[in-house]
Amino acid sequence: MNTLLIEIGTEELPPKALNHLGLAFAEGVRAQLAEARLLSPDSVVHSYAAPRRLAVQISQVLAQAPTQQLKIKVLPVAVALDAKGVETPALRKKLTALGFADTPISVLITENDGKADSFYVQSEKSGAHIEDAAQTALSKSVAALPIPKLMNYQLADGATTVQFVRPATTLTALYGERVLPLTLLGLTAGQHCRGHRFQGEQQVLIKSAEQYAQQLDAQGGVIAHFGERQQRIAQQLQDKAAALQLDLGDYQDLLAEVTALVEMPTVYVCAFEERYLRVPQECLILTMRTNQKYFPLFDREGKLSQHFLIVSNMRVADPSRIIEGNQRVVRPRLADAEFFFDTDKKTTLAARLPQLAQVVYHNQLGSQAERIKRVEAIATRLAQLPAVRAKYGDITGEVAEAARLCKADLLSLMVGEFASLQGIMGRYYAHNDGKSDAVADAIADHYKPRFAGDVLPRGGVGTVLALADKLETLIGLFGIGQVPTGDKDPFALRRHALGVLRLLRENQLAVDLRRDLIGPQIASFGALIKDPSEALVTYFAERLSGLMRDEGYSAQEVAAVQAVDEQVVLRVPERLQAVRAFSAMPEAAGLAAANKRVGNILKKADTADAVDSVDTDRRTVDVQLLHEPAEQALAQALAELSPRLKQYLAAQQYTDYLLALAALGKPVDQFFTDVMVNAEDPALKRNRLLLLTQLQSALRQVADLSALAG
């Protein structure tokens, strides 16, 4: 056994895909060698990914796999031999096809395969050699790489065109100290790797596969391992920030990207002029992180400082020129942000509104100006809902004003340059225009939550506006048939729906999806859409069902609650808790089964005998027709329990409601034991069906308990 190394040297690889490509390459090679039985249980795989290389190093790889003993099924004995025990032509034909043409029948093994006796032939298969297996592993793993976009390029002969993520320049393959003559993309493997472009040896002769990473680091100036390189950068960043008594903020995403851009990282401290700090810090942070890949620094209160950190690909004794160069590069970016901000402030948000009529929102739903009118109308109606007024008071005026202005910053220079600042810049410009904090905050927050785990709007005005904005999108796009299908959701409607559910649940807003949030808003669209109420209600139910299952509730529990058509999102978790408490009772299984049985009986009842549960309040069971003691006992139990159940339901005490149903356990069991529902006397049958309808109604108020039955 020995260590195997394979490295593909390339031009600069796409940074966002680099680590993923490195891991996939290593796993592909490992899987192929494991399939060839060349790995030992103690083999260790190391993945390497740097800007100009992908490599894998695997320890304890066999030079040749063990010989494999094979037992190959030939034919059933009944087919291989005729009635006289003489081999048939089919047997010899099969042996020839398997490569055992000259094998006499006497050496065949007879075994029962579970159905009949069959002939088997024994053989040995030589194990794969490392040269062949490594070539197969290299070719297959490269072919299976999750490359974002292939590049076509010509080989050195000027005629052959190949495809890879970036042009491959070198190929290195060592088994211990021995070079494996592997080939790929017109290259033949050797023993040399390329070092750092500017520091270290340009060509590093790798002495053995085990010394690959150490030699590249010491001689080539390259830290090949992605994780080690990232750790070194992180440590340097933290040390530099601590020395300045500043914080890095949220920098993990940028750290991963920068790790994929450098081979020998060194962190230096830079600074920009203090005057730029009067520009909203979100603008400066965005341009530094996105455009320059710099790490901004913050004070203990989260305020941006004038210092920032850069990760250079060179380690020098005097970094002054590197620092000055980077400071010079970032200055025009900051100056642009300053110019955009100062220019934007000269025009109020309200003055920009007429221009929104020229901005298309959707070719079937009109312009952004038309959309804003719908959002304002929806937001105003939502602000007037009793549940909203009870929680936030009368905020209708502020909600309407925020709705009118919430998209105006789309026309600003800053948002035109940095689209991700929409809403954020609107808040700054609203403050500049003298708007209240509630209105300004709502403009910034109405996009929230933008993703799973994102924070919610910080106040009532922002919450209502966020609901209105998301509902306008959902109703409008569902209304023109733009419904998400499978993995396709180009308008992020799943995110909008989940955002609505979070806003309702986490703000404790007991509003009805159908009656309050969807139905009244459709009129705002006029003839532009078809009524999407049913499709949207179902869509919200599916999203809420997924959320509840993620929180640990079973599919049966969720189905039981959703079967009662509960449209108040806030009450669904309460009902689920009640169902879970009910399920723990000894009577639960019996009542759930009884509810299912009642449903089946009522479904099968003749139309003339069927009793609609809607009529139960206007019809009563005729006590004179209750002949059997069991039906009398059930009717009495329902009558005695009914006032208490109504009280629990009115107070939304769902757990108490379901636990109280335990009193019906024995009467229900006895009823189905002693009473024939489908009596010959039509009056008796109808009376018993009515009794069962009342029972079903009691069992379905909080949840459809039949969904819990096996």
Side-chain angles (χ1 to χ4, degrees), residues 545-564:
S545 174
L547 283 176
M548 294 298 96
R549 289 197 301 272
D550 290 343
E551 292 179 12
Y553 292 102
S554 69
Q556 290 79 9
E557 291 169 334
V558 174
V561 170
Q562 291 193 323
V564 301

Side-chain angles (χ1 to χ4, degrees), residues 491-534:
F491 298 102
L493 298 186
R494 289 186 182 89
R495 175 167 56 82
H496 285 301
L498 291 172
V500 170
L501 295 176
R502 277 194 64 195
L503 288 165
L504 296 179
R505 290 185 63 195
E506 296 180 36
N507 287 291
Q508 297 288 296
L509 294 175
V511 295
D512 188 284
L513 273 172
R514 188 192 302 269
R515 187 182 66 245
D516 298 328
L517 296 191
I518 300 174
Q521 322 310 339
I522 295 172
S524 298
F525 290 84
L528 292 175
I529 66 171
K530 296 180 179 179
D531 187 346
S533 298
E534 293 305 318

Side-chain angles (χ1 to χ4, degrees), residues 5-7 18-19 21-23 25-26 45-50 53-58 209-210 212-214 216 223-226 228-229:
L5 167 72
I6 303 176
E7 185 208 74
L18 178 62
N19 193 33
L21 287 172
L23 295 172
F25 177 58
V45 181
H46 291 289
S47 166
Y48 297 96
R53 71 198 72 238
L54 299 174
V56 58
Q57 181 190 66
I58 307 178
E210 293 89 345
Y212 169 72
Q214 294 84 352
L216 271 183
I223 303 172
H225 193 276
F226 190 94
E228 182 183 347
R229 208 163 57 252

Side-chain angles (χ1 to χ4, degrees), residues 186 227 340 351 409 435 580 608 630 649 690 703:
F340 294 151
D409 68 342
K435 304 302 179 183
R580 179 157 290 182
L649 197 61
L690 180 56

